[in-house]
Amino acid sequence: MSKNSISDVATLAGVSIATVSRTFAHPDKVAPATRAKVTQAAEQLDFTVSRTAGVLKSGKSYRIALLIGSSRIEWFSASIIEGLNATLHAAGYDLVIYSVDGIEQRKTFFKELPLRGNTDAVIVSSFDISNNEAEQLQRIKVPIVGINCVASKILSAAISIDDTAGIKLAVRHLTTLGHKKLLYVYEHFNSPLRFSSSRRITSFETICNDTPGVQGKILPIDFGDNPLDATISELFSSSNPPTALCFHQDSTAIPFLFRLQKLGIRVPEDLSIIGFDNSTFAEALGLTTIRQNPCLMAQQAANIALALINEQPITRRHITAPLQLLIRNSTGPAPDITSAN
């Protein structure tokens, strides 16, 4: 059997060859009813479009690169990928994921990208890049969009949360409940890359120092150590332990809640717990947390990247995404207030 052509599809659908071509190249420019007729005819004839021909004609690769700072795909990165795919796939683009574990690997990517020429835009998630790396892309007219990047001002565009504002919400909530001694728990990053979430750590210290009567301590956990054991050891070794714990992310706070149940420590009667992210299972377990929405942020970043590729005007190049304090069952009045009542 001979392979069906675009002419065969046009004949069966009752439209011109140009309309068939436009349906596959720019579906948004074809009326829904016409697009449905062309798609149905193509499926009936088992017609496939040559991606290579479209690429050569447009000069685009129809690929967008996503750089993530770890080989592990955790909740945040998975949400970013979900959001990007939802938007890019509909626009006919493929998402290519690059795991960047260090500065040298990051430098290599930006050095080799102009030679490969196989990416129409770059999206960087959560870590910093240098001025030179951003300039390399600007010279070859490849837009770079950041999601939670520290160096957002040197990028083509960026969307980020305000980590300082998020920690301020957490501390204010706990101090309003009467907590005066707080402990911030985070795991050391196993990477020389500079991650945007590191601002939460410094912000916690600053906010506690600026709040009268509040003592804030930071517990950095070495990479490879069990964060649950390290946190329990800190609590049990202190003669005046904290009454509330702030966790750098929900993924550490959630298993800690289970550990406390086994130890007979009541939450929130004996100890209040607050996380950051509103990740999977946070709501089901009643974890108070700071909500961010990386899936929605990724969709916005993808739309911005597509607009930049097509040289369309962008109203806002630097967007601050909203955060929200979600108060659940894991936080309550400090123990001294409870006993006083």
Side-chain angles (χ1 to χ4, degrees), residues 52-226:
T52 303
V55 168
L56 291 174
K57 183 178 179 180
S58 67
K60 299 176 182 176
S61 69
Y62 287 95
R63 295 186 182 92
I64 291 181
L66 168 65
L67 306 188
I68 58 175
S70 172
S71 57
R72 297 169 58 188
I73 304 297
E74 297 182 341
W75 172 81
F76 185 86
S77 294
S79 299
I80 292 293
I81 294 169
E82 177 187 352
L84 291 176
N85 268 328
T87 302
L88 298 178
H89 179 73
Y93 278 79
D94 291 332
L95 181 67
V96 184
I97 302 170
Y98 293 86
S99 173
V100 178
D101 292 325
I103 294 175
E104 289 304 317
Q105 192 174 3
R106 187 191 71 192
K107 288 180 178 179
T108 299
F109 172 85
F110 285 99
K111 181 179 180 181
E112 294 180 353
L113 182 62
L115 299 176
R116 294 195 300 263
N118 61 350
T119 300
D120 294 332
V122 174
I123 296 176
V124 180
S125 173
S126 300
F127 64 86
D128 207 357
I129 68 167
S130 69
N131 289 347
N132 288 337
E133 290 162 346
E135 289 170 359
Q136 283 178 310
L137 296 191
Q138 291 170 4
R139 284 195 294 269
I140 60 173
K141 296 184 178 180
V142 173
I144 179 167
V145 180
I147 302 176
N148 281 359
C149 290
V150 176
S152 61
K153 298 302 180 184
I154 66 173
L155 307 178
S156 306
I159 178 168
S160 306
I161 62 169
D162 186 338
D163 287 282
T164 298
I167 292 302
K168 185 176 291 186
L169 281 173
V171 172
R172 181 167 295 178
H173 170 57
L174 294 173
T175 55
T176 299
L177 290 170
H179 295 278
K180 300 297 183 182
K181 191 165 185 181
L182 314 179
L183 180 67
Y184 189 95
V185 181
Y186 80 98
E187 296 179 74
H188 273 304
F189 301 107
N190 184 33
S191 171
L193 298 173
R194 183 186 176 198
F195 291 93
S196 61
S197 64
S198 61
R199 290 177 292 189
R200 300 176 198 169
I201 304 165
T202 54
S203 297
F204 173 82
E205 188 172 35
T206 300
I207 294 167
C208 287
N209 289 339
D210 292 343
T211 306
V214 173
Q215 297 180 19
K217 182 177 179 180
I218 296 174
L219 178 63
I221 299 172
D222 292 332
F223 182 79
D225 286 352
N226 187 309

